[in-house]
Amino acid sequence: MLKPNLHYSELKDSYLFYNISQKVKAYLDANPDKKVLRLGIGDVSLPLCDEVIKALHEAVDDQSKKETFHGYMPECGAPFYREAVASYYKKRGVCLQSDEVFVSSGASDELGDILDLFDKSNSALVIEPAYPAYVDANVMAGRKIIHLPSGEENGFLPEPDENTDADILYICSPNNPTGAVFDRVKLQKWVDYADKTGALILFDAAYEAFIEDEDIPHSIYELEGAETCAIEICSLSKTAGFTGTRLGYTVIPKKLERNGMNLNAMWVRNRTTKTNGVSYVIQKGGAAVFSDEGQRQIKENIKKYKQNAEILMKALDELGIWYCGGKNAPYIWMKCPKGMGSWEFFDYLLHEIQVVGTPGEGFGKCGEGYFRLSSFGSLYDTEEAAKRMVKLLK
Ligand code: MLT
């Protein structure tokens, strides 16, 4: 008889964002006349920019003609897409060969898939509060997880110390959910730790496009020694509004080796076996993001999300509520008022003013007592939510 993967029984009943959507659905079923304001999951509300839409249309037309039609794409990515990503890195002084860049259908898929490269006996260190898929994907694989809590005392940016002992290290900067960003000095400590011990960093750069401070690294490869200890995973979801279009990329330097095995070559082997890549049309749309005009247009959208963040921060300032994030990141991480627990505050906001956010506890135990607001909602939802919060909590 088939034996299922018993590690699934070690998972929480349901995934954080699924759980939230079920709660919101139950509320709306019971209160059909209400409209909720969604500042929960980081799903974008602005459409794809014109440059991307133009490229998508052209690519669809290519597929209609014999001379320009494309069948299977190269599994690791279309050369034009891999080159577009590599040229984006070059502008920031990071030299990558295009075959060090792999196409993906988004960071969340890739963060789980990439674990194929590592033995089950490796431990995974997760700096918490953290994007819950890091933990869940490793629980499913039966891997030992080391939860490294962080808090206000270290700005949610812990450093390795003499007790740190892990093989896979998850680092997300700008951070989801706290919005905290590693500066060069702090990030270098993790790179040095990994290079010294042979650990490997999985660097989640999904929010790099939101960085506005000059001295904050966008890529881990801006740091010395990272090409021998880090894989970088990025997505166009938040950068360019691809949450529903699905596209991302993963960087695996050719210098990355462990036990005499080359991780770039291993990923080529994995991809050529397990996927037929991403469609020509979508990769064409993605390449347009990295053109000069594409960059200009996506920055306009990011500016609008940052204005939403400002509206939310102003409301919290008015209420005298502690928060961080919102500057180099699209998320605001706030303390729940009146000593409320994070799910308690979630229910309170949903029932009293129909505002949906994300309870901090969903990102790990040390997130209890905190709450995440996303700036990806519409301007209307954001302004209205800010107004209602001020009225309710004053
Ligand atoms: C979030 O809200 O944390 C993200 O949107 C979830 C995701 O990227 O899958």
Side-chain angles (χ1 to χ4, degrees):
M1 193 166 67
L2 172 110
K3 185 175 167 196
N5 180 345
L6 298 176
H7 296 299
Y8 278 66
S9 61
E10 295 155 25
L11 292 164
K12 283 188 185 166
D13 276 354
S14 64
Y15 187 61
L16 173 64
F17 294 107
Y18 180 74
N19 192 1
I20 291 173
S21 66
Q22 292 303 103
K23 275 180 177 270
V24 173
K25 184 177 176 302
Y27 174 79
L28 287 175
D29 286 347
N31 302 275
D33 54 319
K34 302 277 191 206
K35 180 190 173 307
V36 295
L37 305 170
R38 295 178 193 272
L39 308 183
I41 189 165
D43 196 3
V44 292
S45 53
L46 293 168
L48 295 171
C49 68
D50 291 347
E51 202 60 12
V52 169
I53 292 293
K54 196 169 92 194
L56 290 171
H57 278 300
E58 284 168 9
V60 169
D61 287 343
D62 285 348
Q63 293 297 71
S64 74
K65 291 178 251 136
K66 195 167 181 293
E67 310 77 58
T68 50
F69 170 78
H70 288 78
Y72 284 129
M73 296 303 291
E75 298 88 343
C76 299
F80 63 78
Y81 179 68
R82 303 176 90 180
E83 277 153 25
V85 175
S87 71
Y88 174 67
Y89 274 73
K90 194 156 181 215
K91 287 188 191 132
R92 205 168 295 116
V94 175
C95 284
L96 297 176
Q97 293 166 40
S98 57
D99 55 359
E100 292 178 305
V101 177
F102 294 82
V103 74
S104 77
S105 54
S108 46
D109 317 31
E110 197 80 339
L111 281 159
D113 293 348
I114 201 86
L115 298 177
D116 270 5
L117 293 181
F118 316 127
D119 192 84
K120 297 269 190 298
S121 65
N122 289 303
S123 57
L125 178 144
V126 179
I127 297 175
E128 289 182 343
Y131 179 47
Y134 303 158
V135 169
D136 287 0
N138 281 287
V139 170
M140 288 174 187
R143 205 166 266 120
K144 178 180 165 204
I145 297 166
I146 298 160
H147 302 265
L148 177 58
S150 67
E152 285 174 52
E153 67 291 351
N154 54 19
F156 295 98
L157 300 167
E159 294 175 12
D161 62 21
E162 62 287 355
N163 299 318
T164 308
D165 182 14
D167 305 307
I168 304 167
L169 314 167
Y170 283 87
I171 299 182
C172 176
S173 177
N175 186 266
N176 175 17
T178 65
V181 279
F182 274 95
D183 64 20
R184 279 168 214 281
V185 176
K186 285 204 169 110
L187 193 54
Q188 189 69 54
K189 290 187 182 162
W190 283 105
V191 170
D192 292 346
Y193 169 83
D195 269 330
K196 196 169 110 210
T197 60
L200 183 133
I201 296 173
L202 282 180
F203 190 72
D204 181 350
Y207 300 95
E208 63 82 20
F210 289 79
I211 294 174
E212 53 189 53
D213 291 348
E214 283 295 314
D215 53 338
I216 302 297
H218 288 239
S219 161
I220 196 153
Y221 304 116
E222 291 174 46
L223 296 150
E224 212 179 312
E227 71 280 13
T228 50
C229 70
I231 289 177
E232 182 157 302
I233 293 181
C234 199
S235 153
L236 300 193
S237 285
K238 318 299 158 102
T239 303
F242 273 60
T243 50
T245 309
R246 309 305 306 152
L247 190 64
Y249 58 85
T250 298
V251 179
I252 309 184
K254 289 193 190 157
K255 281 192 184 160
L256 196 49
E257 294 193 341
R258 292 291 180 273
N259 271 57
M261 293 181 78
N262 185 289
L263 277 85
N264 180 293
M266 286 167 70
W267 196 234
V268 172
R269 187 69 181 84
N270 181 295
R271 296 291 83 185
T272 49
T273 308
K274 290 198 166 182
T275 168
N276 278 319
V278 174
S279 85
Y280 168 74
V281 174
I282 301 298
Q283 291 193 70
K284 272 286 183 186
V289 167
F290 300 103
S291 67
D292 290 344
E293 183 54 19
Q295 284 292 299
R296 195 191 63 72
Q297 292 182 4
I298 62 156
K299 282 186 184 131
E300 287 295 308
N301 283 358
I302 289 175
K303 205 153 103 195
K304 290 185 186 143
Y305 293 133
K306 283 185 178 262
Q307 282 160 0
N308 285 348
E310 270 163 32
I311 291 167
L312 295 169
M313 290 193 284
K314 198 163 152 258
L316 296 177
D317 286 339
E318 199 176 330
L319 290 164
I321 293 176
W322 182 93
Y323 65 89
C324 62
K327 186 159 185 281
N328 293 297
Y331 299 121
I332 293 160
W333 182 248
M334 62 177 280
K335 207 158 203 157
C336 299
K338 302 173 190 163
M340 275 189 245
S342 56
W343 280 105
E344 188 188 359
F345 188 53
F346 172 87
D347 287 332
Y348 183 58
L349 288 190
L350 177 61
H351 289 265
E352 296 298 322
I353 55 172
Q354 293 76 51
V355 169
V356 179
T358 310
E361 198 265 344
F363 300 99
K365 278 206 188 80
C366 61
E368 178 54 304
Y370 295 90
F371 198 72
R372 192 192 77 175
L373 297 172
S374 154
S375 67
F376 287 116
S378 67
L379 178 61
Y380 172 81
D381 276 15
T382 309
E383 281 179 334
E384 188 58 27
K387 230 186 284 165
R388 291 186 197 177
M389 275 199 292
V390 170
K391 194 161 162 224
L392 179 73
L393 301 171
K394 204 145 194 179

